[in-house]
Amino acid sequence: MLMNRRTLLFAFLLLTFSFVNAQLKSPEEFLGYKVGTHFTPHWKVVSYFNHVAANSPATVKLEQYGTTNEGRPLLLAYVSSPENIQQLESIRMNNIRLANLSRDKMAPTETGAPVIVWLSYNVHGNEASSTEASMLTIYALTDPSNSRTKEWLKNTVVIIDPCINPDGRDRYVNWYNSVVGKNYNPQLTAREHREPWPGGRTNHYNYDLNRDWVWQTQKESQQRIKKYLEWMPQVHVDYHEMGINSPYYFAPAAQPYNDVITQWQRDFQVTIGKNNAKYFDQNGWLFFTKEEFDLFYPSYGDTYPLYNGGIGMTYEQAGGGASGLGVLKKEGDTLTLVDRALHHFTTSLSTIEISSQNAAKLLSEYRKYFNSNVSNGMGDYKTYVIKNSPGSSQRMNALADLLVKNGIQYEISAGDVKGSFTGYDYNVGKNGTFSVQAGDMVVTSYQPRAAMVKALFEPQARMVDSATYDITAWSLPYVYGMNAFASPAKISAAGIMQPVKVVNPSTGYGYVLPWSGMTTAKAVSQLLQKGIVLRYTLEPFEEGGNKFDRGAIIILKTSNQAFGNGLWDIVKNVADDFNLQLYSVNSGFVDKGYDFGSGKVRSFKAPKVALLTGESVGSDGAGQVWSFFEEQIDYPITLINANDAGRVNWNDYNVLILPGGFYRFLNDKSTLEPFKDWIRNGGRVVALESAVAQLANAGFGIQPKKDEDGSKDTSEYGDLKKFDNSERDYISGSMPGSILKVDLDNTHPLAFGYPDYYYTLKLDASMYEFMKNGWNVGVIKKNSQVSGFVGSRLKQKLKDALLFGVENMGRGTVTYIADDILFRNFWENGKLMFCNAVFLVGN
Ligand SMILES: [Zn+2]
């Protein structure tokens, strides 16, 4: 009886299984059109992946790993043989053990373990063919009649992310579908090839997610990379599109290579490239390799996997936002979405095929790589020591968060380490001696992610060739503004310091909150929004045995009577939420310095902040500020279209932010004068990057620095050209993002919370003359220290120039910030300066 029941059940399951498989539809059957003849909205792509998963339960596991800012689901589909899918978690664990990354320290199985291939589609939303291709890929892998792919999946787990950037993709696709006619129009001048601002390339906050792998400032990256680091695939492909007249591009990549990339990683790129080439040759399709797309900046979808021990690659198809369903190429052919999707589909299968054929070698090299990292480290520097200098604890915590997000191991030393060491002193740019004390951070190169450690920490990243598509300097001590040393010695921390929970005292009179970093700024944002009036000190003072520096926030009952006795609970709760130390004071009479009633202590309320945005404004820069307010300091901001600037009643706002861009209203007297009147009446302007040059043109008190050889400086609108819609096809000349040491006047509120220097990321050559009637807060002098690449002609010009300044106009102020201090929101050390400009300057 029992036997019969079992047999029956088995027969029933078999029947269901074959029935279920019979239901699996191709993309064309499911969508009702051939892939590439329409753009598929994201929800329909999700439906198709759900359909495949529901009808291939033995070979597909679908997982939602997150949601986007606009609420769209982020998916991963794991596709493999039924045997592998059944033990997916133990395959993952084994893979982590191969990389020496598991906590259980169990020995991995190398022989017979499957290789992991991860395919990431559509990171740039308007490079939309690859998500279409993802549907073809998953169908080819699950179609029961496909014996080729079935063979590959025996030793391969394929992880498919059908769309990394659904918000950007739908912005593009919804727009395109709304403007295309009954038939597509291949003429490039037709409106369907002219995507409106800000374009679908970026995510909700106008962020380029293909620059965000390391920094993870964006929600999509944070959720995805957590998964990525749990899997650590051997092969990763990032799908893109480039100009419509280009052929296809695949690995091997171009120089410059970062020297953390191993010979095996280079070699296998060639193996993959040759397999792709075989299929392209068979079809007579054109392609190129070894040009344009370099492997240097660590935060791309190819370098990040490479620096994590995998074979990371970018594949580029001709296409992008201008191509639509079909567009005429220069040489007369029509580039169609059908072909674009087919090409990406072809390289997808080819990559899986060649990885499967080389699975054993891929795994043994992978194992070798991680074993070598743990036993030998990577590079000349074996230890990076980040000093716990006074006032740096918030930046230290932010740096620690970044390392955690990237799976990089570090220790905070609980005690002093015996002895002294020699190493490269980041702060003076040459070797020096140092010691390791309690609270210092120690990062060793002897760890699985040694390549990433080297790429992120080394003072001067080395490249073989100087032409790259991106910034050349991102060394973390400069990004975070930390004193640090890089040492060839192997140094261990003296015990590991545990984090401390702050206990805040009660007060009857008032509190002081030192202005020491972004955590303070976030708390100030919350206090202001609750309607609390704050004060800040222009001069240092001492009270109750504590010393407070300029910018310290003082919270008193005066001006806050409305809160009655509830005031202190509100303040304490906010400080507790951020684990911030409050100092209680008992009197307005200070031991040293100016009393709280002095004119040297200024009160300020929550400013009403507006940001100019829209067409003619650099979308990256505007998006950065938008995201900064909403995601970083959680403070309200009004976005105003720059084209409406002539109609705005400026009196509705206290602070106006102008990101890099072109502002017509500054060139018209009838709109410029009311704007200047608003400033004179107390309005505060924060001009960023090329907006500074715009104000210079409009007769404000700042002048561009004249080129010494007399040639005209054409960099004024550089941002628009460089960062709006550029693919990695633009080499930015002689200043591809380098780090310069800036002298700061830290007695001015714009530089409160800083030492007397700042490391700026210089993205272009724009510099200004010292202001005669203004505050020259940040200047470069002769021989400023440099990291990264600077063209030799430009080097001469980099002296005696203003980068950050403040001009008083009547009761208002204009803050000039010529560099991108919020760069991709990862330039941590610039963020406080931006908060100074918004909250303190002019009060
Ligand atoms: Zn792209």
Side-chain angles (χ1 to χ4, degrees):
M1 184 69 191
L2 190 68
M3 189 81 157
N4 279 345
R5 206 183 271 167
R6 255 191 199 162
T7 321
L8 260 174
L9 186 68
F10 185 65
F12 174 75
L13 280 176
L14 256 182
L15 263 172
T16 321
F17 192 66
S18 39
F19 177 73
V20 158
N21 261 310
Q23 292 299 301
L24 179 67
K25 293 177 179 170
S26 70
E28 183 167 349
E29 288 162 343
F30 184 86
L31 301 167
Y33 53 83
K34 186 178 174 197
V35 164
T37 55
H38 293 271
F39 280 105
T40 312
H42 186 254
W43 68 268
K44 241 186 208 176
V45 177
V46 173
S47 299
Y48 184 64
F49 271 72
N50 276 312
H51 164 81
V52 174
N55 289 285
S56 323
T59 52
V60 177
K61 186 180 164 255
L62 191 64
E63 175 186 31
Q64 179 174 347
Y65 67 87
T67 49
T68 65
N69 286 296
E70 296 173 16
R72 295 183 176 86
L74 294 162
L75 298 181
L76 287 177
Y78 303 86
V79 192
S80 196
S81 68
E83 295 72 29
N84 289 336
I85 289 295
Q86 263 179 18
Q87 41 173 341
L88 204 54
E89 178 56 16
S90 53
I91 290 173
R92 185 188 73 77
M93 275 309 298
N94 189 62
N95 201 57
I96 288 299
R97 288 182 194 124
L98 286 171
N100 295 318
L101 282 163
S102 81
R103 290 210 185 92
D104 62 19
K105 308 280 178 215
M106 278 168 65
T109 319
E110 195 184 301
T111 343
V115 68
I116 319 287
V117 177
W118 183 305
L119 307 176
S120 289
Y121 295 100
N122 219 158
V123 59
H124 291 142
N126 58 4
E127 299 170 5
S129 70
S130 70
T131 287
E132 308 288 344
S134 77
M135 295 187 280
L136 297 171
T137 304
I138 195 163
Y139 180 66
L141 295 176
T142 48
D143 176 4
S145 66
N146 194 325
S147 52
R148 277 178 81 212
T149 59
K150 206 176 277 171
E151 194 57 36
W152 305 338
L153 293 178
K154 284 181 186 164
N155 68 355
T156 309
V157 173
V158 181
I159 303 177
I160 299 176
D161 189 330
C163 188
I164 286 186
N165 178 14
D167 292 351
R169 177 184 168 84
D170 267 4
R171 190 181 317 131
Y172 173 73
V173 166
N174 290 338
W175 164 77
Y176 183 86
N177 288 341
S178 76
V179 295
V180 68
K182 206 157 99 187
N183 302 308
Y184 70 77
N185 184 329
Q187 295 297 332
L188 190 54
T189 43
R191 67 168 184 175
E192 70 207 55
H193 303 293
R194 309 283 296 177
E195 200 187 357
W197 193 96
R201 173 184 176 88
T202 52
N203 79 342
H204 176 75
Y205 285 108
N206 306 356
Y207 267 73
D208 183 336
L209 295 179
N210 191 35
R211 303 291 186 278
D212 197 39
W213 281 71
V214 167
W215 319 114
Q216 297 168 47
T217 68
Q218 299 302 295
K219 204 178 168 184
E220 291 87 352
S221 322
Q222 289 156 11
Q223 300 170 107
R224 185 182 72 255
I225 288 159
K226 189 168 176 287
K227 281 281 155 198
Y228 187 90
L229 296 179
E230 284 170 14
W231 274 96
M232 296 290 285
Q234 280 76 35
V235 177
H236 178 264
V237 186
D238 200 34
Y239 289 89
H240 288 263
E241 292 185 348
M242 54 187 164
I244 57 176
N245 293 307
S246 314
Y248 196 96
Y249 163 84
F250 45 75
Q255 301 282 12
Y257 279 15
N258 192 304
D259 65 5
V260 300
I261 299 171
T262 64
Q263 192 57 45
W264 157 252
Q265 289 175 318
R266 294 167 200 221
D267 291 347
F268 199 70
Q269 287 207 347
V270 176
T271 308
I272 293 179
K274 284 187 174 159
N275 205 54
N276 288 340
K278 184 177 86 188
Y279 292 103
F280 272 59
D281 288 344
Q282 278 171 16
N283 288 289
W285 299 334
L286 205 58
F287 61 88
F288 70 96
T289 65
K290 305 182 283 286
E291 288 174 71
E292 288 197 34
F293 301 99
D294 66 76
L295 299 171
F296 195 58
Y297 175 70
S299 203
Y300 290 133
D302 49 15
T303 46
Y304 191 89
L306 276 163
Y307 302 176
N308 273 292
I311 310 294
M313 292 169 300
T314 293
Y315 291 173
E316 297 262 358
Q317 160 64 41
S323 46
L325 289 174
V327 67
L328 274 173
K329 298 178 75 151
K330 219 163 45 190
E331 289 162 355
D333 288 353
T334 303
L335 173 69
T336 64
L337 183 63
V338 172
D339 287 343
R340 287 153 61 199
L342 184 61
H343 298 166
H344 272 334
F345 167 57
T346 303
T347 54
S348 298
L349 288 199
S350 157
T351 303
I352 298 166
E353 175 186 47
I354 195 76
S355 304
S356 167
Q357 286 168 2
N358 292 276
K361 179 77 173 154
L362 273 166
L363 287 176
S364 67
E365 290 290 340
Y366 182 83
R367 179 83 182 125
K368 215 165 35 175
Y369 175 91
F370 286 102
N371 281 343
S372 162
N373 283 356
V374 171
S375 9
N376 310 325
M378 194 181 269
D380 300 336
Y381 296 124
K382 299 303 183 198
T383 311
Y384 301 91
V385 174
I386 296 88
K387 299 296 292 176
N388 177 35
S389 314
S392 70
S393 67
Q394 293 184 19
R395 279 171 282 124
M396 181 76 100
N397 289 340
L399 172 59
D401 281 349
L402 183 85
L403 299 184
V404 168
K405 280 198 279 194
N406 289 288
I408 292 170
Q409 298 156 8
Y410 68 89
E411 292 173 330
I412 304 288
S413 190
D416 297 353
V417 177
K418 272 193 202 129
S420 78
F421 307 93
T422 55
Y424 182 87
D425 182 344
Y426 288 76
N427 215 7
V428 295
K430 52 186 178 208
N431 281 335
T433 58
F434 67 99
S435 59
V436 182
Q437 285 142 326
D440 291 349
M441 177 189 274
V442 178
V443 183
T444 175
S445 168
Y446 300 94
Q447 63 170 301
R449 297 194 170 95
M452 195 53 94
V453 168
K454 180 171 184 288
L456 293 177
F457 279 97
E458 70 184 332
Q460 295 269 6
R462 271 188 299 264
M463 49 180 168
V464 182
D465 182 353
S466 59
T468 177
Y469 303 87
D470 215 298
I471 59 170
T472 58
W474 49 79
S475 186
L476 292 184
Y478 300 126
V479 173
Y480 283 80
M482 305 294 284
N483 293 325
F485 294 86
S487 173
K490 186 177 185 174
I491 308 170
S492 299
I496 296 170
M497 191 181 269
Q498 297 306 316
V500 186
K501 179 96 188 100
V502 159
V503 180
N504 277 312
S506 298
T507 192
Y509 186 82
Y511 282 122
V512 182
L513 188 54
W515 187 246
S516 45
M518 281 301 291
T519 314
T520 309
K522 287 172 189 176
V524 161
S525 156
Q526 293 309 310
L527 294 170
L528 290 173
Q529 287 178 71
K530 292 180 194 301
I532 295 174
V533 175
L534 303 176
R535 289 173 158 70
Y536 77 93
T537 173
L538 284 171
E539 296 293 336
F541 67 92
E542 290 183 35
E543 159 85 33
N546 294 308
K547 288 182 180 179
F548 298 99
D549 217 333
R550 293 183 173 90
I553 303 295
I554 302 163
I555 310 151
L556 302 174
K557 274 186 183 166
T558 308
S559 324
N560 289 311
Q561 276 169 357
F563 294 94
N565 289 330
L567 177 67
W568 305 130
D569 282 343
I570 299 173
V571 176
K572 262 181 81 166
N573 285 340
V574 168
D576 289 348
D577 284 350
F578 290 98
N579 200 32
L580 267 179
Q581 183 71 59
L582 287 169
Y583 295 84
S584 122
V585 282
N586 299 316
S587 165
F589 188 92
V590 300
D591 302 335
K592 240 185 207 172
Y594 293 90
D595 296 331
F596 294 166
S598 154
K600 300 284 188 187
V601 176
R602 302 283 173 84
S603 71
F604 65 107
K605 292 182 196 169
K608 291 191 198 112
V609 184
L611 166 70
L612 290 189
T613 182
E615 277 172 66
S616 86
V617 177
S619 63
D620 290 10
Q624 225 162 255
V625 175
W626 182 22
S627 158
F628 182 80
F629 275 86
E630 297 204 340
E631 304 261 86
Q632 306 249 326
I633 58 169
D634 190 13
Y635 192 89
I637 185 166
T638 302
L639 274 61
I640 297 173
N641 280 323
N643 286 342
D644 292 333
R647 276 170 266 164
V648 173
N649 180 2
W650 298 117
N651 293 323
D652 293 340
Y653 306 98
N654 311 105
V655 174
L656 177 68
I657 299 165
L658 277 68
F662 176 73
Y663 297 100
R664 201 170 291 120
F665 79 101
L666 295 174
N667 297 329
D668 181 342
K669 218 175 161 209
S670 69
T671 46
L672 177 62
E673 281 313 313
F675 176 63
K676 283 188 168 173
D677 285 344
W678 168 74
I679 301 173
R680 290 186 196 106
N681 287 322
R684 298 190 278 133
V685 174
V686 182
L688 303 168
E689 305 179 81
S690 66
V692 175
Q694 292 271 295
L695 292 176
N697 278 344
F700 285 66
I702 190 162
Q703 283 308 313
K705 191 166 158 63
K706 284 177 207 77
D707 220 341
E708 310 237 304
D709 62 28
S711 67
K712 201 173 171 295
D713 189 340
T714 53
S715 60
E716 281 172 16
Y717 309 130
D719 301 284
L720 285 177
K721 275 184 267 167
K722 261 184 234 167
F723 296 110
D724 247 2
N725 292 309
S726 67
E727 187 41 79
R728 286 171 63 185
D729 54 2
Y730 184 92
I731 299 173
S732 69
S734 53
M735 195 81 185
S738 306
I739 299 172
L740 288 187
K741 194 172 188 176
V742 176
D743 279 53
L744 282 188
D745 171 7
N746 64 0
T747 66
H748 191 282
L750 182 58
F752 281 0
Y754 287 87
D756 59 4
Y757 60 88
Y758 169 78
Y759 287 97
T760 193
L761 181 69
K762 194 102 196 66
L763 296 164
D764 60 28
S766 54
M767 280 169 284
Y768 295 84
E769 301 284 353
F770 295 148
M771 284 194 288
K772 290 194 184 72
N773 296 307
W775 305 107
N776 297 288
V777 182
V779 300
I780 37 179
K781 297 180 177 167
K782 281 184 211 70
N783 306 320
S784 13
Q785 186 194 328
V786 173
S787 172
F789 176 80
V790 178
S792 54
R793 199 181 70 88
L794 197 58
K795 235 173 199 165
Q796 301 300 312
K797 201 184 155 189
L798 289 174
K799 60 175 185 196
D800 301 338
L802 170 75
L803 294 179
F804 313 129
V806 177
E807 181 187 5
N808 296 335
M809 275 178 71
R811 288 187 282 125
T813 50
V814 185
T815 301
Y816 302 105
I817 297 176
D819 285 348
D820 190 352
I821 57 170
L822 296 179
F823 188 68
R824 295 176 190 163
N825 268 336
F826 82 70
W827 204 263
E828 187 68 23
N829 201 26
K831 292 176 183 174
L832 191 66
M833 193 183 298
F834 190 71
C835 290
N836 285 338
V838 171
F839 294 114
L840 304 187
V841 171
N843 277 312

